Amino acid sequence: MSKKDKYSNLLNRRNSSAEKNEKQLNKAHDSLFQNEEPKQEKKKVAPQKKKKFEDKYKRATFYIENDIIKQLDSQAGKEKGEKTRIVNEALRQFLS
């Protein structure tokens, strides 16, 4: 057998095994996508995105008397967002 024949046989074997692999990949690909289609439909009914803090609030800078800020600090404690809640509630009551 010549070198040319050996090379030709080698290429034919590689091509046939590549075709087998491609068929197996296609079968796997089809089965994966057939199973995922119902999952994608469920994702479309996802809950609404949570609003960011900046979308709900606007920063305002103003002066507060020292005695009032001391009372606010003691009332709010160290809980995050408590001062914002107290000020918003007080302004809402004052403006209504």
Side-chain angles (χ1 to χ4, degrees), residues 19-35:
E19 288 174 7
K20 289 178 187 176
N21 287 340
E22 187 174 340
K23 287 178 185 177
Q24 290 174 347
L25 286 174
N26 286 337
K27 286 181 186 177
H29 183 269
D30 291 341
S31 67
L32 284 173
F33 278 103
Q34 287 174 357
N35 291 337

Side-chain angles (χ1 to χ4, degrees), residues 62-76 83 87:
F62 48 87
Y63 292 96
I64 300 176
E65 294 174 6
N66 290 333
D67 60 327
I68 296 173
I69 197 73
K70 284 179 185 178
Q71 290 177 352
L72 179 62
D73 287 340
S74 66
Q75 188 71 29
K83 287 182 191 178
V87 170

Side-chain angles (χ1 to χ4, degrees), residues 38-74:
K39 291 179 185 177
Q40 289 176 350
E41 290 175 14
K42 290 180 183 177
K43 289 181 182 178
K44 291 179 184 176
V45 189
Q48 290 181 345
K49 252 186 175 179
K50 187 177 177 183
K51 286 188 176 182
K52 293 182 180 179
F53 184 83
E54 293 81 12
D55 293 338
K56 191 174 178 183
Y57 294 93
K58 181 177 179 178
R59 184 181 178 129
T61 304
F62 48 87
Y63 292 96
I64 300 176
E65 294 174 6
N66 290 333
D67 60 327
I68 296 173
I69 197 73
K70 284 179 185 178
Q71 290 177 352
L72 179 62
D73 287 340
S74 66

